[in-house]
Amino acid sequence: MAPFTKVCLLFSIFVGFSMLTSLDGRPPGSAMLTSEFNSSARKDLAAEVAAYADVAKRIIDLAVFGAARNRSYRRLADFTDTIGNRVSGSLDLDMAIEYMYKAMMQDGLDVHLEPVKIPHWVRGKESAVMTLPRTKNLAILGLGSSVGTTPEGIEAEVLVVGSFEELKSRANEATGRIVVFNQPFVSYGETVAYREYGASEASKFGAVATLIRSVTPFSINSPHTGWQDYQDGVKHIPTACITIEDAELMWRIAQRGERITVRLTMAAKTLPYADSFNTVAEIKGWQHPEQVVLLSGHLDSWDVGQGAMDDGGGAMVSWEALSLIKQLGLRPRRTMRTVLWTGEEQGGVGAQQYYDLHKVNVSNFDMVMESDMGTFSPVALQFTGSVAAQKVMGEVVKLLAPLNTTKLETHGEGTDISPWMQAGVPEADTMTVQDPGDMDLCSALWAVVAYVVADLEDMLPR
């Protein structure tokens, strides 16, 4: 997800994580049915999970109060201070992958790299100036995969609209203009459509460029970036995000019937796909090493922050979960595997290639987990899976009582794990917004859930 699109989560009342689950690896027709969860089975399940209370407490104590306290924060600070941002296809991302490979090797984990091909888009210099009805510099961030302008830029009259519907109703006014979308923020999932598809929708009606109001409910005159998708068969036009303040300014001017012109210059370009890697570390299971509980975050970031919250924090707690288990000398029945994805900001490119490579063994993936919603103080765990699997996870989250995080919510989500969900397998962005204590809580939660599920006698039911 784009680094600045998730600042709203700082004020959210729930969630720091997404998790999906399902397939249990049983032969066809033998998956456990909800009806099998009679009272006796529930008691057996509850007793089995409750037996992990002492282990869960040891993990939590080590992460929150013990020798590992603040470790994930220190690791993240060192990583982001050393490497900085890590845009797809850049040398900085290559350095980040090498850094994490060496660091996890030194941590005593089994580590390897899996090759992938990822997009390589370069922002270049960019600027926008409102030239009428007065001169004003506009803060912009070009959107990923956008084409550039000519060196002299584009200067054109502006059409300000508040929705796709208004654009269609005023289609005859769009030709030759720069369309400014001043759409209201409803939710990230709904409003992001303007960032993703605004350029193509405006191009259909002859627009020469688009400026999109940043997809966030809050702004301090800061534009947000993110990926956008051109539609096949539609002319590619330059597109960038502007601040809420500037979008609303032009909206007010337009409502008064005044003429607005903007000069836009963007040197953005798309280079050939680059070679990269997903970074994989694991603790092999002692009984069923072929069965996997997968934890994940992504290493790549956008180029205008440090990539600390999006998603350095998620990557670090996914590494830290393995570190905690190893430090305690624990070894689960199944393999605990951390994958640090690459090319996530371009639509989960690295994760999709990982899925394509491993889907032949999809029945061996017990659970897949992704932390990419911010490493804030967790108060709930999101989960998608069968009713039977939800009953198991309902018992597991009871072990998180010392963290005050025993709420299980439905509808887990995450760009990088969406292929597994479809297969049925159960933001300011700098270090300043990170909190060491919150990261400890996230690490402890991640480690407890992953370890217990990896060590249960049976895989999670479909």
Side-chain angles (χ1 to χ4, degrees):
M1 300 182 70
F4 295 102
T5 53
K6 293 186 290 187
V7 71
C8 60
L9 290 179
L10 290 168
F11 309 96
S12 173
I13 61 172
F14 72 95
V15 160
F17 299 93
S18 290
M19 183 170 67
L20 307 181
T21 184
S22 202
L23 296 177
D24 65 351
R26 290 184 168 89
S30 65
M32 187 176 294
L33 301 176
T34 303
S35 60
E36 295 178 44
F37 272 87
N38 54 35
S39 59
S40 176
R42 284 197 297 270
K43 288 179 182 178
D44 291 344
L45 168 63
E48 182 186 5
V49 175
Y52 286 93
D54 288 343
V55 172
K57 186 177 186 302
R58 288 172 60 198
I59 295 171
I60 292 168
D61 286 347
L62 176 60
V64 180
F65 308 109
R69 183 181 181 187
N70 296 344
R71 184 168 62 192
S72 57
Y73 178 89
R74 291 194 301 270
R75 285 174 166 176
L76 178 61
D78 184 73
F79 174 68
T80 56
D81 291 347
T82 300
I83 305 297
N85 62 65
R86 309 166 297 279
V87 72
S88 176
S90 68
L91 291 176
D92 291 329
L93 179 57
D94 293 343
M95 291 171 57
I97 293 169
E98 181 180 5
Y99 178 105
M100 290 302 298
Y101 176 83
K102 291 180 178 179
M104 292 193 294
M105 285 285 287
Q106 291 172 359
D107 203 24
L109 301 171
D110 293 329
V111 188
H112 68 274
L113 302 177
E114 297 191 7
V116 295
K117 292 279 192 180
I118 58 175
H120 189 187
W121 175 81
V122 179
R123 179 181 304 282
K125 292 184 178 180
E126 54 191 16
S127 66
V129 180
M130 184 174 71
T131 52
L132 283 177
R134 63 180 175 88
T135 301
K136 183 185 187 302
N137 290 325
L138 305 175
I140 68 166
L141 282 176
L143 293 175
S145 83
S146 176
V147 297
T149 64
T150 58
E152 61 271 20
I154 297 170
E155 184 163 7
E157 189 169 346
V158 164
L159 171 64
V160 186
V161 296
S163 65
F164 288 134
E165 290 71 24
E166 183 179 0
L167 172 64
K168 292 176 183 177
S169 69
R170 302 177 65 184
N172 61 335
E173 301 177 58
T175 301
R177 293 193 180 185
I178 296 173
V179 171
V180 171
F181 285 97
N182 182 42
Q183 78 285 345
F185 181 87
V186 178
S187 68
Y188 180 78
E190 182 174 339
T191 312
V192 75
Y194 288 87
R195 190 193 77 200
E196 292 180 335
Y197 310 120
S200 288
E201 290 301 314
S203 180
K204 292 175 182 177
F205 303 114
V208 295
T210 55
L211 297 174
I212 316 293
R213 170 174 162 158
S214 291
V215 185
T216 176
F218 304 101
S219 177
I220 48 173
N221 205 42
S222 54
H224 299 192
T225 191
W227 196 249
Q228 68 89 35
D229 291 303
Y230 288 121
Q231 295 177 28
D232 293 337
V234 179
K235 182 181 179 181
H236 296 184
I237 61 174
T239 181
C241 268
I242 57 175
T243 68
I244 291 177
E245 292 87 341
D246 285 340
E248 291 184 340
L249 167 67
M250 287 188 279
W251 173 265
R252 291 192 301 271
I253 294 172
Q255 292 302 297
R256 292 194 290 267
E258 297 183 61
R259 184 168 176 256
I260 306 170
T261 59
V262 165
R263 182 171 65 251
L264 175 68
T265 304
M266 294 174 62
K269 57 183 177 181
T270 298
L271 303 176
Y273 267 54
D275 294 321
S276 190
F277 301 92
N278 289 319
T279 309
V280 183
E282 59 187 22
I283 297 174
K284 291 285 188 182
W286 65 266
Q287 186 177 25
H288 302 293
E290 77 285 358
Q291 297 174 2
V292 176
V293 169
L294 187 151
L295 309 90
S296 68
H298 64 88
L299 275 188
D300 64 297
S301 74
W302 284 110
D303 54 337
V304 289
Q306 283 187 298
M309 186 65 76
D310 187 15
D311 183 34
M316 291 300 151
V317 300
S318 295
W319 169 21
E320 180 69 9
L322 296 190
S323 294
L324 294 169
I325 300 307
K326 185 172 182 63
Q327 189 171 347
L328 289 169
L330 300 172
R331 189 179 177 191
R333 295 175 189 270
R334 297 170 194 84
T335 295
M336 288 178 61
R337 179 180 299 165
T338 288
V339 183
L340 305 182
W341 313 111
T342 192
E344 186 275 347
E345 298 293 0
Q346 287 65 40
V349 175
Q352 182 63 55
Q353 291 176 58
Y354 179 91
Y355 174 77
D356 291 342
L357 180 65
H358 294 277
K359 64 184 178 182
V360 66
N361 296 315
V362 69
S363 62
N364 278 328
F365 282 80
D366 190 13
M367 181 168 69
V368 293
M369 307 163 65
E370 180 177 18
S371 174
D372 189 20
M373 296 181 70
T375 40
F376 312 112
S377 180
V379 298
L381 191 69
Q382 287 185 338
F383 178 85
T384 295
S386 67
V387 173
Q390 288 173 8
K391 292 180 182 295
V392 178
M393 295 307 299
E395 297 298 327
V396 172
V397 295
K398 293 178 182 179
L399 300 172
L400 303 174
L403 301 176
N404 296 315
T405 311
T406 58
K407 185 177 181 182
L408 186 69
E409 296 194 346
T410 57
H411 308 304
E413 58 183 322
T415 298
D416 291 310
I417 54 177
S418 59
W420 301 93
M421 180 169 65
Q422 293 165 12
V425 175
E427 141 157 2
D429 197 21
T430 63
M431 282 303 300
T432 305
V433 301
Q434 292 283 11
D435 179 83
D438 286 351
M439 290 193 67
D440 289 341
L441 296 174
C442 291
S443 298
L445 182 153
W446 227 218
V448 169
V449 171
Y451 175 78
V452 172
V453 172
D455 199 56
L456 290 174
E457 185 174 348
D458 294 321
M459 293 180 74
L460 291 174
R462 291 191 178 192

